[in-house]
Amino acid sequence: MCNSIAHYGIIRQAALAGALKFDSLDPRAYARGPHRAVDDRPYGGGPGMVMKPGPLAACIDAARMSRPGPVVYLSPQGELLNQSLVEELAALPGLILLAGRYEGIDERIVESRVEREISIGDYVLAGGELAAMVIVEAIARLLPGVLGNRMSAEQDSFSSGLLDCPHFTRPERFEGRNVPPVLLGGDHEKIRQWRLTQALVRTGERRPDLIANLDPDQFRLNDEQVELLSTYQLEQEDG
Ligand code: ADE
C-alpha cells in the first residue's frame, strides 16, 4: 500500500530529484511461527486484536540499523498534525513511521521504542499506513528542489498561518461567472493586497480558531492587514 502510493505524484518526484528516499518494512517478515502472526487477542478481553510486541520490536530495530530519525507512531491518540509540525519533521534527517493495525499495538512498544505519536485528525482509520503517507507527502513537497515553483509552498494555506486565497485561470468568463477584475489588471501591488484580504477574510469566516491560535510572536496582523480588513468590511457594508 505504502510503496504504491510512493510511486505517484510529488513523493515520486521528490525521490527522482534525490530529495527523499522512501522504503517500507513488513512486520510480518519479522514474525516467527508457522503463521507468522503479528496480532493476538488483548489481555483483559474485549473486541479486536492487538499487534504483538515481538515482530514490531524486531522490525523497528531493523529499520533503525540504517535509517536515521525518530520513531513516530501514527495513532488517533497522538499530537495533531499541522503545517508547523510538518515543517519540523521535514527538517529532520529522516523518520521511521510506525503504522499500527487492528485495535493498536502493544503499549510496551510505545514505551520502549516510540519517540513521538502523531494523529492526522480526530477520526479513526483502520490502520496507520494512510496517515504515514499523508505525512510523507506533506514533507515531500517542502523538500528543496521538489516543487517547480519554490514560492508555491510558501504561499499556500497555513504556511503564513492563514488559509489560501481563491485562484482562477482561463477562461475569463465561465458559466456566467467572471474572474475578479483586479486579477486581470496587472497591478501587482493591488493583486497582492486583494489576495491578502481574501486570505484574511476566509480565515476569519471559516477558521476563526486559526486566528485565535496564531502565535503572537510569529504572526500579528500588521497595519497593512488591519487596514485592508477594515476597507473590505466597509465595502461589504456599502453593498
Ligand atoms: N491510525 C488510526 N487513526 C489514525 C489517525 N487519525 N491518525 C493517525 N493514525 C491513525
Side-chain angles (χ1 to χ4, degrees):
M1 185 179 194
C2 295
N3 287 337
S4 56
I5 293 172
H7 278 116
Y8 288 95
I10 209 88
I11 305 177
R12 176 184 148 94
Q13 273 172 254
L16 290 174
L20 181 132
K21 247 169 82 181
F22 175 85
D23 71 343
S24 63
L25 299 181
D26 181 359
R28 196 175 287 281
Y30 299 84
R32 295 167 197 265
H35 303 296
R36 292 192 168 269
V38 290
D39 61 330
D40 204 341
R41 287 167 300 157
Y43 276 117
M49 299 290 268
V50 175
M51 290 190 78
K52 291 160 66 67
L56 279 186
C59 186
I60 293 168
D61 292 347
R64 287 206 288 205
M65 297 272 279
S66 55
R67 295 161 191 84
V71 175
V72 175
Y73 173 45
L74 286 313
S75 96
Q77 285 78 46
E79 177 186 358
L80 262 187
L81 186 68
N82 60 24
Q83 190 64 20
S84 69
L85 180 50
V86 171
E87 285 165 20
E88 193 185 317
L89 299 174
L92 297 172
L95 281 177
I96 296 172
L97 298 166
L98 171 59
R101 278 262 140 189
Y102 318 107
E103 294 308 306
I105 68 176
D106 190 291
E107 189 64 19
R108 289 163 294 185
I109 292 295
V110 179
E111 290 165 7
S112 66
R113 286 172 176 78
V114 169
E115 283 151 290
R116 206 151 178 176
E117 202 164 329
I118 295 178
S119 164
I120 64 162
D122 290 336
Y123 43 82
V124 181
L125 301 166
E129 293 90 342
L130 289 175
M133 297 315 289
V134 163
I135 293 184
V136 175
E137 176 162 314
I139 289 174
R141 59 188 295 288
L142 295 183
L143 299 177
V146 174
L147 279 194
N149 180 356
R150 228 169 36 79
M151 293 295 282
S152 67
E154 282 157 31
Q155 282 183 1
D156 51 29
S157 291
F158 303 115
S159 55
S160 63
L162 297 175
L163 298 183
D164 202 1
C165 63
H167 300 279
F168 298 88
T169 187
R170 287 183 292 184
E172 225 176 279
R173 189 172 169 80
F174 179 71
E175 295 181 341
R177 294 162 198 269
N178 291 320
V179 172
V182 60
L183 299 178
L184 307 173
D187 181 336
H188 296 296
E189 179 52 23
K190 275 233 169 72
I191 292 172
R192 191 187 66 77
Q193 288 182 0
W194 181 86
R195 287 181 169 154
L196 181 56
T197 308
Q198 292 292 316
L200 286 164
V201 169
R202 274 193 163 184
T203 311
E205 282 174 359
R206 299 184 187 185
R207 296 291 305 277
D209 59 305
L210 288 179
I211 306 261
N213 290 335
L214 286 173
D215 176 357
D217 290 334
Q218 270 186 17
F219 194 99
R220 188 175 281 135
L221 290 189
N222 59 31
D223 292 347
E224 181 197 18
Q225 291 161 338
V226 171
E227 173 88 31
L228 284 173
L229 267 185
S230 57
T231 312
Y232 173 86
Q233 279 158 355
L234 286 177
E235 281 170 11
Q236 296 300 100
E237 283 162 21
D238 292 348

